């Protein structure tokens, strides 16, 4: 069968992009709008032409809007929106939006401080912080008040109930209690005590603290003694402290309190560990426990058989127990 007239366009020439290739350009292909090789002609049917492309192919950027066609790469601008030269033009909108209901922009939101966050959250935040601060201050004040009350109750020996204001007594007590006033304990120079036996006064050795540097000497003979009448404010256990001097050799003596001989002699030892027999360099103190009664007490230190009594006596003192 002989080939008939297929018209100007052939199926193999329906390539809409023929003008983009080298062989199409060599064959005279034209860009959109001019027809030619590789691109379909007008959409209207022509006599003697069996068919054309089923779809009217357009190049990228070409589109029809209301019967008007824009060229390749050109955006359509409605005639009524075209402005004169030098005047601002309306912003381009997508073609699909033309002909439909106008788009309404959302109502403007009130901005506070330029932040655009809607309600005034800063004011709400400041208010919340102020409320919290007031609560914290109130709790702190309550805690401090309660703590002060507890301290006062503890000092008064009470419980958790509130304490009443202290009332000043119109008549102060005539005598302060023993707990408030320190008890003054007696002290006596040995030279002022009652001496017995060969004991006598002297002041040749320097360093004695008695009046005018006087001390008791001649105590190294059996039967020598010093007797002290000590007046005590309250009865109890005390220490009897004695200041003495020895020729760097340990000594001791018998202690009698209120007629009762102490179970052990009072030690007059070389506590400073001196090796110099010079009495002036060997003044020191010792003590012995004693139990005394309120009022007058007789304290006697004597040199008895078996004692080592080569000693000088400076003063005697009653001190609190340790």
């Amino acid at each position: 069968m002989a080939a008939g007239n297929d018209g100007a366009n052939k199926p193999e020439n329906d390539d809409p992009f023929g003008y983009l290739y080298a062989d199409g350009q060599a064959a005279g292909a034209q860009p959109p709008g001019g027809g030619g090789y590789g691109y379909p002609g007008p959409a209207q049917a022509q006599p003697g032409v069996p068919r054309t492309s089923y779809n009217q192919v357009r190049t990228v950027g070409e589109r029809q809007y209301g019967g008007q066609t824009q060229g390749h790469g050109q955006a359509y601008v409605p005639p009524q929106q075209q402005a004169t030269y030098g005047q601002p033009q309306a912003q381009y909108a997508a073609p699909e939006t033309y002909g439909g209901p106008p788009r309404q922009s959302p109502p403007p939101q009130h901005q506070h401080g330029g932040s655009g966050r809607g309600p005034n959250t800063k004011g709400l935040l400041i208010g919340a912080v102020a409320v919290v601060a007031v609560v914290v201050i109130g709790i702190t004040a309550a805690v401090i008040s309660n703590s002060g009350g507890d301290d006062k109750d503890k000092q008064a020996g009470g419980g958790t109930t509130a304490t009443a204001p202290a009332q000043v007594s119109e008549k102060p007590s005539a005598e302060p209690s023993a707990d408030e006033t320190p008890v003054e304990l007696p002290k006596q120079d040995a030279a002022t005590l009652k001496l017995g036996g060969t004991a006598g006064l002297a002041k040749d050795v320097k360093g004695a603290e008695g009046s005018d540097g006087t001390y008791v000497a001649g105590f190294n003979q059996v039967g020598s003694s010093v007797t002290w009448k000590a007046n005590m404010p309250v009865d109890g256990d005390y220490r009897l402290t004695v200041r003495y001097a020895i020729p760097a050799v340990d000594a001791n003596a018998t202690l009698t309190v209120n007629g009762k001989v102490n179970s052990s002699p009072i030690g007059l030892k070389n506590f400073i560990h001196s090796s110099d027999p010079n009495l002036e360099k060997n003044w020191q103190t010792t003590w012995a426990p004693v139990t005394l009664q309120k009022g007058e007490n007789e304290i006697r230190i004597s040199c008895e058989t078996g004692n080592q009594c080569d000693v000088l006596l400076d003063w005697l003192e009653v001190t609190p127990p340790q």
Side-chain angles (χ1 to χ4, degrees):
M1 180 178 180
N5 183 10
D6 293 334
N9 296 323
K10 297 181 179 181
E12 62 269 18
N13 293 333
D14 287 346
D15 185 2
F17 303 102
Y19 70 95
L20 297 176
Y21 303 101
D23 56 347
Q25 295 175 1
Q30 298 296 325
Y37 176 81
Y39 200 84
Q44 292 81 6
Q46 298 179 5
V49 178
R51 71 176 181 86
T52 61
S53 175
Y54 293 102
N55 296 319
Q56 185 66 29
V57 182
R58 289 177 292 276
T59 58
V60 178
E62 182 182 50
R63 190 174 183 137
Q64 292 182 354
Y65 301 97
Q68 298 186 15
T69 303
Q70 292 293 110
H72 175 69
Q74 297 179 354
Y76 170 75
V77 179
Q80 64 273 16
Q81 293 184 359
Q82 292 182 354
T84 60
Y85 177 77
Q87 298 295 327
Q89 298 183 359
Q91 185 179 3
Y92 171 76
E96 288 81 359
T97 61
Y98 293 116
R103 298 181 59 184
Q104 297 181 357
S105 59
Q109 297 181 352
H110 296 284
Q111 298 182 357
H112 299 272
S115 61
R117 293 182 298 177
N120 189 1
T121 57
K122 182 182 294 184
L124 296 177
L125 179 59
I126 294 175
V129 171
V131 172
V132 173
V134 171
V135 173
V136 170
I137 293 174
I139 294 175
T140 304
V143 170
I144 294 176
S145 177
N146 293 335
S147 299
D150 293 342
D151 293 340
K152 294 180 180 178
D153 292 343
K154 292 178 181 178
Q155 293 176 2
T160 58
T161 57
T163 58
Q167 298 180 357
V168 180
S169 176
E170 297 180 357
K171 295 181 179 181
S173 57
E175 296 181 359
S177 63
D179 295 337
E180 296 176 356
T181 304
V183 177
E184 184 177 356
L185 300 178
K187 180 179 180 180
Q188 193 78 29
D189 291 343
T192 63
L193 302 181
K194 180 182 178 181
L195 306 180
T198 60
L201 302 181
K203 53 181 179 180
D204 300 332
V205 179
K206 304 299 181 181
E209 297 178 354
S211 177
D212 197 23
T214 305
Y215 54 87
V216 174
F219 196 74
N220 55 350
Q221 298 294 324
V222 175
S224 300
S225 65
V226 294
T227 303
W228 181 26
K229 298 290 186 177
N231 192 5
M232 300 301 298
V234 293
D235 55 3
D237 295 330
Y238 298 91
R239 284 185 174 187
L240 175 65
T241 303
V242 180
R243 189 172 189 264
Y244 63 98
I246 55 176
V249 178
D250 290 345
N252 57 59
T254 299
L255 174 63
T256 304
V257 179
N258 294 327
K260 182 179 179 180
V261 178
N262 202 20
S263 59
S264 60
I266 182 171
L268 305 171
K269 297 182 179 182
N270 183 19
F271 292 111
I272 63 175
H273 306 290
S274 174
S275 59
D276 189 349
N278 187 353
L279 292 171
E280 183 178 342
K281 298 179 180 180
N282 294 313
W283 290 103
Q284 53 197 299
T285 60
T286 187
W287 65 272
V290 293
T291 300
L292 303 177
Q293 62 189 9
K294 182 179 180 180
E296 187 177 81
N297 294 265
E298 182 181 272
I299 301 174
R300 183 172 183 266
I301 298 176
S302 61
C303 182
E304 306 293 342
T305 301
N307 293 139
Q308 175 61 42
C309 308
D310 192 5
V311 62
L312 305 180
L313 299 178
D314 189 10
W315 49 256
L316 283 71
E317 181 182 16
V318 175
T319 57
Q322 300 296 324

